[in-house]
Amino acid sequence: MIIDSHAHITEESLRAEAPRIVADMQKDGLCGIIEVGCDYSTSRDALDIAQKNEGVYALVGTHPEFAAEYGDKEKDFYLEAAKDPKVVGIGEIGLDYYYETPEREIQKRAFVAQLELADAAKLPVSLHIRDAYGDLMTILKDNRRYLSHGMLMHCYCGSKEFVKELAPFDSYFAFGGVVTFKNAKKDDILRAVPRDRLIVETDCPYMTPVPFRGKRNEPKYVVHTARYIAEALGMDHEEFQAMTVENTLRLFPKMRIK
């Protein structure tokens, strides 16, 4: 059994399938799904589906793409939602400079504000970082006081050297279907991550792993990513799955998986 640590099953293209996905969790080898919010609306959706379904948990937060929308309404809702036993972290938050919108300063302000919020809620954070590792390190060093509850590098795409730089911040690293792509060349990075800090995810409906690349991604496909990583690390598949579950539960201690 395995946990998909980052999913968007309430996203429009998967919403109609969400009841079936949740109902089939055990059959598909899943003992948990973490549904992740990207703004006020999707965070409400994440909380709703988590409250209604055993084995489903939620992250609430504002993605950097929507950083300009982050304000008192979002802050108040995330803080209140954080009290719910099904909300296990704040995310996905961070920096995304690929499209340069919204402006970098707006993204930075929303990011730091949500780090502070997560600390107040005593919850770990899940970070979306794209083309922004320099500013990430500056922000982490300047705001270390807010980072005492764990940090997940969602869809980690940094270097193996950067793994060491992130270690002092109690960092975990999540990998999805991209690692299975023919030209991904991630094996050295996978081996650089301490095994007790390695987590798997789908980021569905995006980044479907081989052999289903080209199809819409679902939580059940996380087992294929896990199989690939286990082989890259020379580990038994079941041993690897159990290890990632243990790591996920250590990072998100509010989760209660049977």
Side-chain angles (χ1 to χ4, degrees):
M1 301 293 280
I2 197 166
I3 296 172
D4 180 0
S5 68
H6 193 110
H8 300 283
I9 61 174
T10 58
E11 196 263 6
E12 184 176 357
S13 67
L14 268 182
R15 186 183 297 269
E17 300 296 320
R20 187 261 306 163
I21 289 170
V22 173
D24 288 349
M25 283 174 60
Q26 186 171 11
K27 182 186 74 173
D28 292 334
L30 291 160
C31 60
I33 295 172
I34 300 178
E35 177 71 1
V36 181
C38 293
D39 59 7
Y40 177 81
S41 176
T42 55
S43 292
R44 288 182 64 90
D45 289 342
L47 175 59
D48 182 64
I49 197 170
Q51 289 175 326
K52 292 177 179 177
N53 294 282
E54 184 177 348
V56 180
Y57 290 83
L59 301 183
V60 296
T62 295
H63 185 288
E65 180 181 351
F66 306 107
E69 301 173 12
Y70 182 77
D72 289 341
K73 180 179 77 170
E74 287 74 19
K75 176 183 176 181
D76 292 345
F77 171 67
Y78 300 157
L79 280 172
E80 185 61 29
K83 300 174 185 177
D84 192 284
K86 282 302 201 75
V87 173
V88 298
I90 302 299
E92 58 188 290
I93 65 175
L95 303 168
D96 191 325
Y97 293 170
Y98 185 77
Y99 292 111
E100 295 285 355
T101 54
E103 295 177 3
R104 294 186 180 190
E105 291 305 314
I106 293 174
Q107 293 189 40
K108 291 177 188 178
R109 285 196 294 272
F111 182 24
V112 172
Q114 291 180 95
L115 290 178
E116 183 176 2
L117 182 152
D119 182 61
K122 295 181 170 55
L123 290 177
V125 291
S126 179
L127 305 190
H128 171 107
I129 304 297
R130 191 179 188 191
D131 295 346
Y133 283 90
D135 279 353
L136 169 66
M137 289 306 300
T138 298
I139 288 173
L140 294 182
K141 291 174 182 177
D142 289 347
N143 295 277
R144 189 184 293 267
R145 63 193 181 279
Y146 300 137
L147 299 169
S148 56
H149 303 286
M151 181 176 80
L152 177 62
M153 299 300 297
H154 151 60
C155 192
Y156 182 65
C157 55
S159 67
K160 62 181 181 180
E161 291 79 14
F162 214 79
V163 170
K164 295 180 180 178
E165 292 190 46
L166 288 165
F169 301 99
D170 195 16
S171 302
Y172 289 71
F173 300 82
F175 295 91
V178 169
V179 299
T180 71
F181 297 174
K182 182 178 180 180
N183 297 319
K185 298 179 180 178
K186 299 283 189 181
D187 289 9
D188 285 350
I189 298 171
L190 292 171
R191 287 190 284 267
V193 175
R195 293 191 179 185
D196 65 347
R197 297 289 160 146
L198 204 157
I199 286 175
V200 289
E201 64 178 15
T202 59
D203 199 19
C204 65
Y206 316 105
M207 300 195 304
T208 312
V210 173
F212 299 98
R213 190 177 183 185
K215 297 183 178 181
R216 184 182 57 195
N217 203 2
E218 294 188 17
K220 65 182 179 180
Y221 294 143
V222 75
V223 297
H224 296 279
T225 298
R227 181 176 294 271
Y228 176 91
I229 298 174
E231 292 177 356
L233 297 178
M235 292 183 66
D236 173 79
H237 298 162
E238 291 187 4
E239 177 188 2
F240 177 79
Q241 289 193 24
M243 180 189 77
T244 64
V245 169
E246 181 180 346
N247 293 347
T248 305
L249 296 180
R250 189 186 316 113
L251 174 62
F252 298 111
K254 286 177 69 176
M255 293 185 74
R256 296 292 182 265
I257 298 299
K258 296 182 180 180

